[in-house]
Amino acid sequence: MVSPDPGAPTPPSTAQLVRDACDRQPGAWRELAARYEGLVRAVVGSYRLQEADFADAVQNTWLRALERLHTVRDPDSLGGWLTTVARRECLALLARSRREAPTAMAEDQLVVQDPGPEAVVLAEEARRAVAHAVTELPVKPRALVSVLFSTPEPNYAEVSRLMGLPIGSIGPTRQRALQTLRCGLARVGQDVVAS
């Protein structure tokens, strides 16, 4: 792992980024999105929505965040706040889809939604590449990634207890691990989704 440059500026805290984003400072919103995109996508992914609904829930979460960021009481707990917003967006989508679901559909009218053989092969290849990239992480980041992404709703207090890490270091450690994963996957030619 590369040591941080001692001359490099310290990244702003989440609280500072929230304040800057509320004040419409350039780059603050982009940095918040970069730090928390993976969390939002993981929360939404735990609801196993269809692809279009997944994209809508992620987008709606960020829209609500943009609209209501000024209402966050504890900016250092932005991850928990975004988790709640993402859950509510997923539940709203699920409720809406239940209301819109056709009721009397003949069995022969149903279309099979199974992925085709190409999609299955590509998904398995991507899964293997990610699993291999995770095994190349240093021990603590690898364990943190495993704990965070093997649990549908990771609780930082529980993760802190399990890993012996201060709560405040979980997010930055996670971010560095994901950046290392992105670089490793890019080296082997895998498309990388921002997280």
mmCIF file of all heavy atoms in Angstrom, residues 139-165:
data_model
loop_
_atom_site.group_PDB
_atom_site.id
_atom_site.type_symbol
_atom_site.label_atom_id
_atom_site.label_comp_id
_atom_site.label_asym_id
_atom_site.label_seq_id
_atom_site.Cartn_x
_atom_site.Cartn_y
_atom_site.Cartn_z
ATOM 1 N N VAL A 139 -4.475 -7.054 4.614
ATOM 2 C CA VAL A 139 -5.347 -7.820 5.503
ATOM 3 C C VAL A 139 -6.510 -6.989 6.055
ATOM 4 O O VAL A 139 -7.676 -7.378 5.936
ATOM 5 C CB VAL A 139 -4.527 -8.432 6.667
ATOM 6 C CG1 VAL A 139 -5.428 -9.131 7.660
ATOM 7 C CG2 VAL A 139 -3.493 -9.400 6.122
ATOM 8 N N LYS A 140 -6.220 -5.846 6.707
ATOM 9 C CA LYS A 140 -7.306 -5.071 7.341
ATOM 10 C C LYS A 140 -8.318 -4.543 6.328
ATOM 11 O O LYS A 140 -9.525 -4.708 6.508
ATOM 12 C CB LYS A 140 -6.733 -3.920 8.170
ATOM 13 C CG LYS A 140 -6.469 -4.343 9.583
ATOM 14 C CD LYS A 140 -6.732 -3.214 10.547
ATOM 15 C CE LYS A 140 -6.439 -3.753 11.895
ATOM 16 N NZ LYS A 140 -7.023 -3.339 12.997
ATOM 17 N N PRO A 141 -7.868 -3.887 5.210
ATOM 18 C CA PRO A 141 -8.853 -3.436 4.224
ATOM 19 C C PRO A 141 -9.657 -4.594 3.638
ATOM 20 O O PRO A 141 -10.846 -4.464 3.394
ATOM 21 C CB PRO A 141 -8.008 -2.731 3.155
ATOM 22 C CG PRO A 141 -6.773 -2.306 3.875
ATOM 23 C CD PRO A 141 -6.527 -3.378 4.906
ATOM 24 N N ARG A 142 -9.009 -5.754 3.415
ATOM 25 C CA ARG A 142 -9.714 -6.913 2.868
ATOM 26 C C ARG A 142 -10.806 -7.363 3.842
ATOM 27 O O ARG A 142 -11.939 -7.622 3.455
ATOM 28 C CB ARG A 142 -8.729 -8.054 2.603
ATOM 29 C CG ARG A 142 -9.408 -9.293 2.044
ATOM 30 C CD ARG A 142 -8.438 -10.389 1.652
ATOM 31 N NE ARG A 142 -7.570 -10.789 2.741
ATOM 32 C CZ ARG A 142 -6.251 -10.807 2.690
ATOM 33 N NH1 ARG A 142 -5.612 -10.444 1.590
ATOM 34 N NH2 ARG A 142 -5.540 -11.186 3.733
ATOM 35 N N ALA A 143 -10.459 -7.425 5.131
ATOM 36 C CA ALA A 143 -11.445 -7.839 6.133
ATOM 37 C C ALA A 143 -12.582 -6.820 6.215
ATOM 38 O O ALA A 143 -13.754 -7.195 6.322
ATOM 39 C CB ALA A 143 -10.768 -7.992 7.498
ATOM 40 N N LEU A 144 -12.234 -5.529 6.141
ATOM 41 C CA LEU A 144 -13.262 -4.480 6.210
ATOM 42 C C LEU A 144 -14.220 -4.580 5.023
ATOM 43 O O LEU A 144 -15.437 -4.532 5.186
ATOM 44 C CB LEU A 144 -12.613 -3.091 6.257
ATOM 45 C CG LEU A 144 -13.584 -1.919 6.313
ATOM 46 C CD1 LEU A 144 -14.443 -1.975 7.576
ATOM 47 C CD2 LEU A 144 -12.828 -0.596 6.253
ATOM 48 N N VAL A 145 -13.665 -4.739 3.827
ATOM 49 C CA VAL A 145 -14.514 -4.873 2.633
ATOM 50 C C VAL A 145 -15.412 -6.094 2.771
ATOM 51 O O VAL A 145 -16.609 -6.042 2.477
ATOM 52 C CB VAL A 145 -13.645 -4.948 1.352
ATOM 53 C CG1 VAL A 145 -14.449 -5.418 0.159
ATOM 54 C CG2 VAL A 145 -13.011 -3.597 1.061
ATOM 55 N N SER A 146 -14.870 -7.192 3.254
ATOM 56 C CA SER A 146 -15.667 -8.411 3.427
ATOM 57 C C SER A 146 -16.813 -8.188 4.408
ATOM 58 O O SER A 146 -17.952 -8.580 4.149
ATOM 59 C CB SER A 146 -14.789 -9.559 3.913
ATOM 60 O OG SER A 146 -13.849 -9.891 2.937
ATOM 61 N N VAL A 147 -16.523 -7.535 5.528
ATOM 62 C CA VAL A 147 -17.564 -7.290 6.530
ATOM 63 C C VAL A 147 -18.623 -6.333 5.984
ATOM 64 O O VAL A 147 -19.824 -6.580 6.098
ATOM 65 C CB VAL A 147 -16.947 -6.724 7.835
ATOM 66 C CG1 VAL A 147 -18.020 -6.186 8.757
ATOM 67 C CG2 VAL A 147 -16.140 -7.792 8.543
ATOM 68 N N LEU A 148 -18.185 -5.244 5.357
ATOM 69 C CA LEU A 148 -19.135 -4.237 4.878
ATOM 70 C C LEU A 148 -20.034 -4.761 3.764
ATOM 71 O O LEU A 148 -21.216 -4.444 3.712
ATOM 72 C CB LEU A 148 -18.397 -2.986 4.399
ATOM 73 C CG LEU A 148 -17.788 -2.110 5.482
ATOM 74 C CD1 LEU A 148 -16.969 -0.993 4.868
ATOM 75 C CD2 LEU A 148 -18.863 -1.534 6.386
ATOM 76 N N PHE A 149 -19.470 -5.550 2.856
ATOM 77 C CA PHE A 149 -20.245 -5.953 1.699
ATOM 78 C C PHE A 149 -20.854 -7.343 1.809
ATOM 79 O O PHE A 149 -21.551 -7.787 0.911
ATOM 80 C CB PHE A 149 -19.404 -5.800 0.425
ATOM 81 C CG PHE A 149 -19.126 -4.365 0.120
ATOM 82 C CD1 PHE A 149 -17.921 -3.782 0.469
ATOM 83 C CD2 PHE A 149 -20.096 -3.569 -0.460
ATOM 84 C CE1 PHE A 149 -17.665 -2.447 0.224
ATOM 85 C CE2 PHE A 149 -19.865 -2.236 -0.713
ATOM 86 C CZ PHE A 149 -18.648 -1.664 -0.373
ATOM 87 N N SER A 150 -20.638 -8.019 2.927
ATOM 88 C CA SER A 150 -21.301 -9.307 3.125
ATOM 89 C C SER A 150 -22.551 -9.137 3.982
ATOM 90 O O SER A 150 -23.312 -10.073 4.162
ATOM 91 C CB SER A 150 -20.349 -10.307 3.792
ATOM 92 O OG SER A 150 -20.023 -9.877 5.100
ATOM 93 N N THR A 151 -22.754 -7.934 4.497
ATOM 94 C CA THR A 151 -23.903 -7.632 5.337
ATOM 95 C C THR A 151 -24.826 -6.702 4.577
ATOM 96 O O THR A 151 -24.372 -5.686 4.068
ATOM 97 C CB THR A 151 -23.435 -6.930 6.639
ATOM 98 O OG1 THR A 151 -22.392 -7.701 7.220
ATOM 99 C CG2 THR A 151 -24.575 -6.760 7.608
ATOM 100 N N PRO A 152 -26.132 -7.010 4.478
ATOM 101 C CA PRO A 152 -27.036 -6.145 3.721
ATOM 102 C C PRO A 152 -27.112 -4.724 4.292
ATOM 103 O O PRO A 152 -27.233 -3.778 3.552
ATOM 104 C CB PRO A 152 -28.394 -6.833 3.808
ATOM 105 C CG PRO A 152 -28.186 -8.124 4.490
ATOM 106 C CD PRO A 152 -26.797 -8.178 5.025
ATOM 107 N N GLU A 153 -27.048 -4.585 5.596
ATOM 108 C CA GLU A 153 -27.151 -3.272 6.220
ATOM 109 C C GLU A 153 -26.011 -3.105 7.218
ATOM 110 O O GLU A 153 -26.192 -3.284 8.419
ATOM 111 C CB GLU A 153 -28.498 -3.122 6.920
ATOM 112 C CG GLU A 153 -29.681 -3.208 5.974
ATOM 113 C CD GLU A 153 -31.007 -3.117 6.703
ATOM 114 O OE1 GLU A 153 -31.051 -2.647 7.850
ATOM 115 O OE2 GLU A 153 -32.000 -3.540 6.102
ATOM 116 N N PRO A 154 -24.813 -2.760 6.709
ATOM 117 C CA PRO A 154 -23.684 -2.664 7.638
ATOM 118 C C PRO A 154 -23.888 -1.548 8.655
ATOM 119 O O PRO A 154 -24.310 -0.455 8.317
ATOM 120 C CB PRO A 154 -22.491 -2.377 6.727
ATOM 121 C CG PRO A 154 -23.069 -1.838 5.478
ATOM 122 C CD PRO A 154 -24.453 -2.400 5.362
ATOM 123 N N ASN A 155 -23.631 -1.862 9.903
ATOM 124 C CA ASN A 155 -23.748 -0.906 10.996
ATOM 125 C C ASN A 155 -22.322 -0.574 11.433
ATOM 126 O O ASN A 155 -21.595 -1.452 11.883
ATOM 127 C CB ASN A 155 -24.552 -1.567 12.128
ATOM 128 C CG ASN A 155 -24.624 -0.737 13.367
ATOM 129 O OD1 ASN A 155 -23.688 -0.027 13.735
ATOM 130 N ND2 ASN A 155 -25.747 -0.831 14.042
ATOM 131 N N TYR A 156 -21.925 0.698 11.286
ATOM 132 C CA TYR A 156 -20.545 1.069 11.563
ATOM 133 C C TYR A 156 -20.157 0.780 13.019
ATOM 134 O O TYR A 156 -19.015 0.456 13.291
ATOM 135 C CB TYR A 156 -20.301 2.534 11.221
ATOM 136 C CG TYR A 156 -19.911 2.752 9.770
ATOM 137 C CD1 TYR A 156 -20.255 1.843 8.777
ATOM 138 C CD2 TYR A 156 -19.179 3.860 9.394
ATOM 139 C CE1 TYR A 156 -19.896 2.046 7.464
ATOM 140 C CE2 TYR A 156 -18.812 4.073 8.076
ATOM 141 C CZ TYR A 156 -19.172 3.156 7.110
ATOM 142 O OH TYR A 156 -18.796 3.344 5.816
ATOM 143 N N ALA A 157 -21.089 0.878 13.940
ATOM 144 C CA ALA A 157 -20.755 0.580 15.336
ATOM 145 C C ALA A 157 -20.387 -0.899 15.479
ATOM 146 O O ALA A 157 -19.407 -1.251 16.143
ATOM 147 C CB ALA A 157 -21.924 0.939 16.250
ATOM 148 N N GLU A 158 -21.157 -1.765 14.834
ATOM 149 C CA GLU A 158 -20.885 -3.200 14.887
ATOM 150 C C GLU A 158 -19.580 -3.522 14.144
ATOM 151 O O GLU A 158 -18.766 -4.307 14.610
ATOM 152 C CB GLU A 158 -22.053 -3.987 14.277
ATOM 153 C CG GLU A 158 -21.894 -5.484 14.329
ATOM 154 C CD GLU A 158 -21.897 -6.054 15.738
ATOM 155 O OE1 GLU A 158 -22.305 -5.371 16.694
ATOM 156 O OE2 GLU A 158 -21.460 -7.207 15.891
ATOM 157 N N VAL A 159 -19.386 -2.873 12.980
ATOM 158 C CA VAL A 159 -18.160 -3.085 12.208
ATOM 159 C C VAL A 159 -16.956 -2.643 13.036
ATOM 160 O O VAL A 159 -15.936 -3.322 13.083
ATOM 161 C CB VAL A 159 -18.218 -2.323 10.866
ATOM 162 C CG1 VAL A 159 -16.876 -2.346 10.156
ATOM 163 C CG2 VAL A 159 -19.301 -2.915 9.972
ATOM 164 N N SER A 160 -17.088 -1.518 13.732
ATOM 165 C CA SER A 160 -16.015 -1.004 14.580
ATOM 166 C C SER A 160 -15.656 -2.023 15.656
ATOM 167 O O SER A 160 -14.485 -2.306 15.907
ATOM 168 C CB SER A 160 -16.445 0.313 15.225
ATOM 169 O OG SER A 160 -15.508 0.745 16.162
ATOM 170 N N ARG A 161 -16.684 -2.601 16.282
ATOM 171 C CA ARG A 161 -16.462 -3.591 17.325
ATOM 172 C C ARG A 161 -15.798 -4.852 16.759
ATOM 173 O O ARG A 161 -14.827 -5.365 17.312
ATOM 174 C CB ARG A 161 -17.789 -3.948 17.992
ATOM 175 C CG ARG A 161 -17.641 -4.846 19.225
ATOM 176 C CD ARG A 161 -18.982 -5.285 19.778
ATOM 177 N NE ARG A 161 -19.743 -6.133 18.878
ATOM 178 C CZ ARG A 161 -19.451 -7.409 18.593
ATOM 179 N NH1 ARG A 161 -18.404 -7.982 19.124
ATOM 180 N NH2 ARG A 161 -20.200 -8.105 17.765
ATOM 181 N N LEU A 162 -16.304 -5.335 15.629
ATOM 182 C CA LEU A 162 -15.765 -6.554 15.025
ATOM 183 C C LEU A 162 -14.328 -6.379 14.547
ATOM 184 O O LEU A 162 -13.497 -7.275 14.706
ATOM 185 C CB LEU A 162 -16.616 -6.981 13.821
ATOM 186 C CG LEU A 162 -17.982 -7.562 14.118
ATOM 187 C CD1 LEU A 162 -18.772 -7.725 12.831
ATOM 188 C CD2 LEU A 162 -17.861 -8.891 14.829
ATOM 189 N N MET A 163 -14.034 -5.213 13.976
ATOM 190 C CA MET A 163 -12.730 -4.996 13.348
ATOM 191 C C MET A 163 -11.709 -4.363 14.288
ATOM 192 O O MET A 163 -10.526 -4.324 13.974
ATOM 193 C CB MET A 163 -12.891 -4.078 12.122
ATOM 194 C CG MET A 163 -13.781 -4.624 11.035
ATOM 195 S SD MET A 163 -12.999 -5.921 10.084
ATOM 196 C CE MET A 163 -11.507 -5.145 9.567
ATOM 197 N N GLY A 164 -12.192 -3.805 15.404
ATOM 198 C CA GLY A 164 -11.276 -3.103 16.296
ATOM 199 C C GLY A 164 -10.788 -1.796 15.700
ATOM 200 O O GLY A 164 -9.675 -1.358 15.963
ATOM 201 N N LEU A 165 -11.630 -1.174 14.861
ATOM 202 C CA LEU A 165 -11.298 0.104 14.225
ATOM 203 C C LEU A 165 -12.160 1.203 14.823
ATOM 204 O O LEU A 165 -13.332 0.972 15.116
ATOM 205 C CB LEU A 165 -11.611 0.052 12.718
ATOM 206 C CG LEU A 165 -10.718 -0.771 11.824
ATOM 207 C CD1 LEU A 165 -11.326 -0.852 10.431
ATOM 208 C CD2 LEU A 165 -9.337 -0.157 11.749
#
